[in-house]
């Protein structure tokens, strides 16, 4: 299980780097999908199967499909790729790279500090426990999220109606 | 037999049977369509035209494997592979019989199936995009919208089954039906699931991503040779998969009197495969806006109503009055 963790972690890091550096939007999105799938397998190895499968269904299977869908509708083509390349200059990388280095240092510190802890499959959290937690102590958060989604739904519905009523 | 050997036998056996079945189904479908439309169908190659599938396979394997110069090469090649991999992976959680099945007791089995069916959208969307042609792009966009919408009801329609069985594991769901098949208490869920299942496999009457009278061949217009063959085989395995899942969720899986479990599973699954082919022979294709409106205005409320009713009944049944 530890090996599975490191393999999927390596895939996640690698595909995320590829997602950032691709000039073609669809290729970048595909690498991001791979990264999400790798993250899902990390969740599974860590003993959260429900979170893992939700990651696949919702992030990889629904949200990213919509992203790809929108990029397809824009029909960017070769010109956009060339433009994107001209925008990504070496000095553009300095700022993000510095911030990422700080984060990396933090992650390395946390890993070093907790190096004796056992992470792989310590205890598996079943879907049932997740559900009980959602509708018990976290009920307020679930309700707030549902209100936010409802507001988004109503707004999308209103915008989608267009000039129908004129 | 050691668990590793029996596990490998299961995996290899199921893979071979599925791919062979998909090839055989092309013949069965054409013969059945011919029967229902009062004609013969393929009957020349071998007895009853049985070798037609082999002839088709030889033809498709020896065709030039061509990638159009205007296509996005890597994505164009990945797309049919995604189609095959997702449907085959989803079969891992189907309990074929008490002893046959790869991961039938996976604690998130049903969710795994839903995850694979949501990933299979990529094959079509990417095929449509990578082909870089109008017809393919339109087919891909239709497919994305259709499959995303129908996935929602598909996921919601099985929640009733999960509530009654108390588990996402398909093995547990089959066990929970030892007294009564879920098709009776969950009839509403069954109807929604079957309709969503047809839409997910993109079969007639929901084959708008292909829509040959308006889009050429839809998302696979630019594909030929075995790459097209992979989409084709994936579609047929998809039919087998949906039939097997319907059987498992609503018809008691391999349970049944007298006959061996494997036979019961094959009979029930075969019935639904036949039903899918009959639908193709019988129903016209709806308009695209009708398809989407039916989904969001009829199926979604029905699925939600089913969850509400099932939850209320289960709760009333459990609480001591």
């Amino acid at each position: 299980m530890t090996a599975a963790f490191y393999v999927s972690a390596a895939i996640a890091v690698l595909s995320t780097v590829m997602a950032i550096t691709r000039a073609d939007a669809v290729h970048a999105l595909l690498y991001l999908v791979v990264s999400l799938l790798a993250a899902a397998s990390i969740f599974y190895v860590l003993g959260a199967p429900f979170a893992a499968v939700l990651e696949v269904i919702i992030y990889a299977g629904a949200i990213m499909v919509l992203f790809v869908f929108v990029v397809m509708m824009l029909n960017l083509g070769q010109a956009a790729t060339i433009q994107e390349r001209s925008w990504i200059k070496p000095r553009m990388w300095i700022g993000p790279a510095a911030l990422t280095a700080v984060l990396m240092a933090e992650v390395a510190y946390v890993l070093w500090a907790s190096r004796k802890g056992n992470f792989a499959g310590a205890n598996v959290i079943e879907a049932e426990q997740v559900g009980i937690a959602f509708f018990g102590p976290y009920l307020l958060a679930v309700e707030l999220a549902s209100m936010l989604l409802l507001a988004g739904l109503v707004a999308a519905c209103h915008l989608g109606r267009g000039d129908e009523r004129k | 037999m050691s668990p590793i050997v029996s596990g490998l036998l299961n995996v290899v056996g199921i893979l071979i049977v599925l791919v062979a079945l998909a090839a055989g189904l092309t013949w069965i479908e054409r013969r059945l369509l011919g029967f229902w439309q009062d004609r013969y169908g393929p009957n020349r190659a071998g007895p009853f035209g049985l070798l037609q599938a082999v002839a088709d396979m030889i033809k498709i394997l020896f065709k030039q494997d061509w990638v159009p110069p205007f296509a996005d090469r890597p994505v164009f090649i990945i797309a049919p592979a995604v189609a095959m991999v997702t449907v085959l992976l989803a079969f891992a959680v189907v309990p074929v019989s008490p002893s046959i099945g790869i991961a039938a007791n996976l604690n998130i089995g049903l969710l795994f199936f839903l995850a694979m069916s949501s990933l299979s959208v990529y094959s079509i969307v990417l095929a449509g995009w990578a082909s870089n042609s109008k017809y393919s792009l339109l087919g891909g966009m239709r497919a994305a919208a259709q499959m995303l919408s129908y996935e929602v009801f598909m996921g919601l329609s099985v929640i009733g089954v999960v509530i009654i069985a108390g588990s996402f594991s398909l093995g547990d769901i089959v066990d929970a039906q030892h007294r009564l098949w879920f098709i009776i208490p969950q009839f509403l869920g069954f109807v929604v699931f079957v309709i969503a299942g047809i839409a997910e496999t993109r079969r007639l009457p929901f084959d708008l991503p292909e829509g040959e009278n308006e889009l050429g061949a839809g998302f696979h217009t630019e594909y030929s040779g075995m790459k097209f063959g992979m989409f084709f085989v994936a579609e047929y395995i998809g039919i087998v998969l949906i039939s097997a899942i319907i059987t498992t969720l609503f018809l008691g899986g391999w349970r049944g009197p007298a006959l061996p479990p494997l036979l019961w599973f094959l009979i029930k699954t075969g019935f639904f495969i036949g039903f899918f082919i009959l639908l193709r022979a019988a129903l016209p294709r709806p308009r695209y806006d009708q398809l989407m409106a039916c989904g969001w205005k009829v199926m979604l409320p029905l699925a939600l109503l089913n969850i509400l009713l099932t939850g209320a009944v289960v709760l009333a049944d459990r609480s001591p009055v």
Side-chain angles (χ1 to χ4, degrees):
Chain A
M1 282 305 235
T2 314
F5 173 84
Y6 282 113
V7 169
S8 20
I11 293 173
V13 172
L14 207 69
S15 55
T16 310
V17 169
M18 293 296 270
I20 297 166
T21 51
R22 291 309 90 184
D24 189 319
V26 172
H27 291 178
L29 284 174
L30 285 183
Y31 276 112
L32 196 53
V33 172
V34 175
S35 161
L36 288 170
L37 293 180
S41 46
I42 291 176
F43 276 132
Y44 189 84
V45 172
L46 290 181
F50 191 62
V53 82
L54 282 194
E55 176 102 6
V56 178
I57 294 179
I58 293 174
Y59 284 99
I63 295 178
M64 295 314 292
V65 174
L66 287 179
F67 275 37
V68 176
F69 188 77
V70 170
V71 173
M72 267 169 62
M73 296 256 258
L74 296 177
N75 198 11
L76 296 168
Q78 203 65 42
T81 312
I82 294 164
Q83 189 183 35
E84 190 81 15
R85 274 215 189 94
S86 72
W87 281 345
I88 303 176
K89 295 203 179 78
R91 66 188 168 80
M92 299 291 292
W93 292 101
I94 298 170
L99 291 176
T100 316
V102 175
L103 277 181
M104 272 298 284
E106 272 182 28
V107 171
Y109 173 71
V110 170
L111 284 179
W112 182 251
S114 59
R115 64 188 180 279
K116 295 214 171 62
N118 182 22
F119 64 87
N123 54 339
V124 175
I125 298 161
E126 298 280 346
E128 207 176 346
Q129 288 163 269
V130 179
I132 289 169
F134 268 154
F135 290 95
Y138 298 106
L139 185 61
L140 188 65
V142 171
E143 290 296 331
L144 284 176
S146 72
M147 268 186 230
L148 188 67
L149 286 175
L150 183 65
L153 210 70
V154 171
C157 199
H158 176 72
L159 289 176
R161 280 173 73 106
D163 294 337
E164 211 172 84
R165 267 186 294 176
K166 270 182 192 167
Chain B
M1 245 187 317
S2 74
I4 294 176
V5 173
S6 69
L8 271 181
L9 272 181
N10 258 331
V11 172
V12 175
I14 288 178
L15 278 181
I16 290 173
V17 167
L18 272 180
V19 176
L21 200 63
L25 265 181
T26 60
W27 174 78
I28 293 174
E29 169 157 44
R30 286 155 77 187
R31 284 296 288 199
L32 279 179
L33 282 179
F35 174 68
W36 283 318
Q37 293 166 350
D38 204 12
R39 57 188 172 83
Y40 285 119
N43 64 347
R44 293 303 158 110
F48 307 107
L50 255 174
L51 293 179
Q52 186 66 40
V54 181
D56 285 344
M57 217 151 67
I58 292 171
K59 176 195 152 196
I60 218 162
L61 280 173
F62 282 90
K63 253 188 168 179
Q64 187 187 1
D65 193 18
W66 188 67
V67 178
F70 47 81
D72 186 309
R73 204 181 155 83
V75 180
F76 191 84
I77 294 170
I78 290 170
V82 172
M84 282 289 276
V85 168
T86 48
V87 282
L88 286 176
L89 266 181
F91 250 98
V93 293
V94 177
V96 179
S97 83
S99 54
I100 306 174
I102 298 161
N105 287 317
L106 183 68
N107 52 3
I108 47 166
L110 187 53
L111 291 173
F112 184 81
F113 158 73
L114 291 174
M116 285 306 122
S117 82
S118 66
L119 284 185
S120 70
V121 185
Y122 280 112
S123 63
I124 296 161
V125 174
L126 293 179
W129 177 79
S131 299
N132 208 356
S133 101
K134 301 178 194 62
Y135 299 120
S136 304
L137 191 67
L138 281 171
M141 292 204 307
R142 279 186 184 184
Q146 170 183 333
M147 289 175 77
L148 271 182
S149 317
Y150 277 77
E151 232 162 57
V152 174
F153 331 128
M154 187 181 231
L156 287 175
S157 64
V158 296
I159 295 297
V161 170
V162 175
I163 290 175
I164 299 181
S167 170
F168 283 117
S169 146
L170 291 178
D172 289 351
I173 288 173
V174 173
D175 283 338
Q177 300 180 67
H178 64 99
R179 238 179 276 142
L180 185 66
W181 290 356
F182 282 157
I183 188 173
I184 296 169
Q186 281 297 312
F187 189 71
L188 208 53
F190 168 75
V191 173
V192 176
F193 187 83
V194 170
I195 294 174
I198 304 165
E200 280 291 302
T201 48
R202 307 174 303 282
R203 292 280 301 175
L204 261 165
F206 297 133
D207 70 336
L208 288 133
E210 285 183 49
E212 50 274 84
N213 49 4
E214 60 220 69
L215 290 183
F219 63 91
H220 57 56
T221 306
E222 305 295 339
Y223 280 85
S224 67
M226 201 50 216
K227 289 202 194 69
F228 165 74
M230 278 165 86
F231 277 120
F232 208 60
V233 170
E235 182 182 324
Y236 279 96
I237 298 178
I239 298 170
V240 180
L241 174 69
I242 284 291
S243 306
I245 295 280
I246 294 172
T247 303
T248 308
L249 292 181
F250 296 101
L251 290 176
W254 39 262
R255 287 180 182 281
L259 298 172
L262 181 61
L263 205 57
W264 269 115
F265 186 82
L266 291 180
I267 290 172
K268 292 172 186 171
T269 308
F271 170 78
F272 278 103
I273 295 172
F275 175 70
F276 274 36
I277 296 171
L278 178 60
L279 275 186
R280 174 174 172 186
L283 291 180
R285 191 182 289 144
R287 246 178 22 229
Y288 189 64
D289 60 316
Q290 291 171 332
L291 173 88
M292 297 303 276
C294 159
W296 288 105
K297 291 178 184 163
V298 181
M299 310 275 283
L300 181 66
L302 275 181
L304 288 175
L305 186 71
N306 181 44
I307 296 178
L308 207 66
L309 288 178
T310 313
V313 169
V314 169
L315 207 62
D317 204 35
R318 275 195 199 153
S319 59
V321 182

